[in-house]
């Protein structure tokens, strides 16, 4: 597994800028559109569950689960960006992730933030 399997984020060509800050240096917020979110729920397959159980007995990183969580967070963020774009935003400010268990069958990941229109200024 390469480094791309354990990380995420935007490419330099992204048309909707996503930041975890309240503002973007060099830009001004010209319109606040409102809250947007991207949500996904993923279950782990049986092989992953068994492997994680065995690995937890001896310690160490659960690489299969790490990769699954990265993929899940990236999917939630892609959905967040789709929602922002559909509402006319070119930025999402104060983006955060929320992760929780979903009815003991999987992991729910929600990416959320404030959709806005920003301009150089």
């Amino acid at each position: 597994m390469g480094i791309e399997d354990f990380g995420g984020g935007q490419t330099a060509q992204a048309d909707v800028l996503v930041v975890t800050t309240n503002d973007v240096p060099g830009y001004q917020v010209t319109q606040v559109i409102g809250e947007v979110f991207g949500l996904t729920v993923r279950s782990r397959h049986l092989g992953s569950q068994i492997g994680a159980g065995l690995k937890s007995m001896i310690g160490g990183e659960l690489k299969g689960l790490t990769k699954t969580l990265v993929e899940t967070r990236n999917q939630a963020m892609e959905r967040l960006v789709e929602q922002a774009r559909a509402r006319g935003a070119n930025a999402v400010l104060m983006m955060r992730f929320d992760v929780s268990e979903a009815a003991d069958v999987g992991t729910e990941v929600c990416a959320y933030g404030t959709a806005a229109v920003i301009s150089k200024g």
Side-chain angles (χ1 to χ4, degrees), residues 60-80:
E61 181 181 9
L62 305 173
K63 289 185 179 182
L65 294 179
T66 299
K67 185 175 179 183
T68 299
L69 186 55
V70 167
E71 291 169 353
T72 304
R73 286 173 63 121
N74 287 340
Q75 184 178 48
M77 191 163 165
E78 288 168 11
R79 290 179 178 176
L80 167 80

Side-chain angles (χ1 to χ4, degrees), residues 8-10 16-23 36-38 73-74 76-78 80-81 91-98 109-115:
Q10 294 187 289
V16 176
L17 179 65
V18 178
V19 297
T20 58
T21 56
N22 295 338
D23 52 19
V36 288
F37 66 90
R73 286 173 63 121
N74 287 340
M77 191 163 165
E78 288 168 11
L80 167 80
V81 169
V92 176
L93 308 175
M94 300 177 290
M95 192 282 292
R96 303 286 187 266
F97 285 107
D98 184 51
V109 176
C110 182
Y112 63 95
T114 302

Side-chain angles (χ1 to χ4, degrees), residues 19-36:
V19 297
T20 58
T21 56
N22 295 338
D23 52 19
V24 180
Y27 289 80
Q28 65 184 84
V29 176
T30 59
Q31 180 184 3
V32 173
I33 295 172
E35 180 189 9
V36 288

